Amino acid sequence: MTSPVRRRDAAATRRLLLEAARRRFAADGYAATSVRDIAAEAGVNVALISRYFESKEGLFRACLRGTVDDLKQSVFENLPLEDAPRMLAEKMAISQPKETNQLLLLLRSSGDETAERIRLDTLGSLARRLAAAAGSEPGDPKVLLNAQIVLATALGVVILRSAGLRPLATADSDQLAEPLEKVIGALLPKL
């Protein structure tokens, strides 16, 4: 008996590879992730990574760009400061593994200069959006520093949740929102 022939769907294959790569890169880091593991998890031939992304570095860059686009659209686009704690808490909620992987991916270094620039630009952009939401003038170093500390707090929460530290790991978005509101209110009061 022959197995059924799978229809070729480039967009679906790219999506499968990106999803598998995001999970792997976020969980294991760039260096420990092999293209064979990504392809196996996606259920496709490893040669398709070269076809669609040129290389492991290209796949990592594509994962970062996708993360940037998703985060900008879902969290930081025209963000009113009073909504920031709730939005961040929802992104960190245990029921949102995709968003958790995206945030963890921003912390993973690739060793690729272009990917590193994208990663740092993304983190900087997120902090600048938080500072702008607080009403700061562009380039105000004090408010930008405070915004970066808020971002570091949010990323620290993601890391500790992914490590399984309780009660943080099991807190729902309502439980996360209150302390995040206190941190943001203290560091980024509306100017």
Side-chain angles (χ1 to χ4, degrees):
M1 184 165 152
T2 61
S3 58
V5 177
R6 278 182 29 185
R7 293 187 66 202
R8 293 182 183 183
D9 183 345
T13 302
R14 280 181 58 85
R15 188 175 58 256
L16 287 171
L17 285 167
L18 283 168
E19 289 170 1
R22 278 183 180 168
R23 282 190 298 273
R24 288 288 183 155
F25 288 139
D28 303 330
Y30 180 83
T33 299
S34 76
V35 291
R36 290 195 185 285
D37 291 339
I38 293 168
E41 186 172 323
V44 302
N45 186 304
V46 70
L48 293 175
I49 291 174
S50 293
R51 170 182 262 172
Y52 296 122
F53 303 101
E54 295 182 9
S55 64
K56 180 179 172 181
E57 292 84 7
L59 180 56
F60 187 76
R61 281 193 299 273
C63 288
L64 282 175
R65 284 191 180 103
T67 295
V68 170
D69 294 343
D70 289 350
L71 288 173
K72 282 182 181 177
Q73 289 174 6
S74 61
V75 179
F76 293 98
E77 198 65 41
N78 302 315
L79 176 72
L81 190 60
E82 57 273 6
D83 294 342
R86 169 79 38 215
M87 297 295 277
L88 288 170
E90 287 172 4
K91 287 296 170 191
M92 291 183 275
I94 198 79
S95 62
Q96 303 293 329
K98 178 184 175 191
E99 283 79 1
T100 299
N101 284 341
Q102 289 175 327
L103 293 170
L104 287 173
L105 186 62
L106 289 174
L107 302 176
R108 298 296 189 181
S109 176
S110 71
D112 176 75
E113 188 176 311
T114 303
E116 289 303 298
R117 184 179 39 76
I118 293 167
R119 186 175 67 83
L120 289 175
D121 286 350
T122 300
L123 291 167
S125 173
L126 297 177
R128 286 189 299 278
R129 286 173 186 267
L130 282 170
S136 82
E137 294 296 320
D140 181 336
K142 181 180 180 204
V143 177
L144 184 58
L145 175 63
N146 286 356
Q148 289 175 351
I149 291 170
V150 167
L151 183 59
T153 300
L155 292 170
V157 169
V158 170
I159 290 168
L160 293 177
R161 284 174 64 85
S162 69
L165 182 65
R166 292 178 182 259
L168 187 60
T170 56
D172 63 23
S173 60
D174 291 333
Q175 293 167 316
L176 293 171
E178 182 182 343
L180 285 171
E181 188 173 319
K182 290 177 182 175
V183 169
I184 291 171
L187 291 171
L188 295 174
K190 199 77 165 153
L191 302 175

